[in-house]
Amino acid sequence: MNKAGIVSENSENIDALQKQLQQYAEMQKLLLEITQRIASSDTLDDMLPAIRAAVQRGLHADSAIIVLGTDQADVGYAVGDDRSPSFGAAGPALLGYVAQNGAIEASDVSADAALSALNMQIKGLLTTPLMAHNIRQGIIALGYAQPHTFSSDERIFLALVAAQTAVAVENAHAYEVVHHGQEQLAAILASTADPVIVVDAQEAIVLLNPAAERALGVESKTVSGKKFGEVINVEPLLELLRNPANRESLEWQNESGQTYAPRVSDINTGESRRRGHVLVLRDITRYKNILANQTEFVGTVSHDLRSPLTYMQGYATMLPMVGELNARQKDFTDKIVGGIAQMTDLVDKILDAGRLDPETGYYELIREPCDVVKMANEVITNHLQPAE
């Protein structure tokens, strides 16, 4: 080979190398672009069209398509190029084909009867499954209008994009699940009448429902993330968080006059590590008002009954002073006095009934011997006259 031939060959090699390096740089730039798009996108609707367009542009394909799902019967999402729909409606069928036979690399689709049956308006076809943690998320496919021989660089590039896309899809699905769960939790807490406060292990506020905002006079958006004791100046509640053993007897009344019975529960992980607390303020204002009204009513009625009974007993015992009573009159008088004594005892028992309430009284049942015969005779005596 002469000197001119050697120079020409070296020049061609240099041009080829420069072209290869330029193509490599373009692929790296596209990979960075795809990574940035994945990082900045919140939804699949924002992410997948941009990834599809970047892949089609980077590999100079005539069309590209991304189909999500596990097989042909489970297609959750498909995005293609509306301007050149070379895949037509074959996306789900192509997904099923890859699920059964694996990735496709066909330089000429018309040479394969099974692929030709999919009625795609393409010749060259390259597909790669979207796999994350050994779970199929879907496929990404490239189509060429003319037969195309794929290089190792093209295969590697598509594989890298598919790996990134699969992880992004899995993360998007996980985010949707978590977001849906958060929406459900928020709806439940919003409809809960009792105030609910969630704090982490450092006593920083994580969540307050609307009832808690009203009860404590704060807004969730202004106190979230701050220490409970710094923004909610309620010492009994703070003490309860630090000493849950006191949970059974504490009551707290806010500035509006609402009375609450606080209860606290721990938030633990699977390793029994404490992650925080849930503080629930049970609104017992209604029950406290009912109890107060009941106590007032019982006291008033008992007092009003005691006064006439005192007069009745006094005049009944003074009857012998105005004249001697015969045996029958004395028997009647004794029954009247006995009935008044029973009524007085009943009034006393009504007053004592408040002690039966565990919130206000200190009632304690005491068992002691009794004369059953005496009790029976008293019952008989009281009912003897009506019976006769």
Side-chain angles (χ1 to χ4, degrees), residues 60-63 86 108 121-124 143-148:
H60 307 287
D62 295 301
S63 60
S86 302
D108 190 351
Q121 301 173 9
I122 57 175
K123 295 294 185 179
Y144 294 81
Q146 300 299 325
H148 184 86

Side-chain angles (χ1 to χ4, degrees), residues 53 68 71 97-98 118 130 139 148 211-212 223 230-232 248 257 269 299 337 358 362 370 374:
L68 301 186
D71 53 40
Y97 186 97
V98 174
L118 298 181
L130 305 177
I139 62 168
H148 184 86
V223 301
E230 295 176 358
V231 294
I232 300 178
E248 297 299 333
T269 63
V337 173
Y362 304 94
C370 62
K374 180 180 179 182

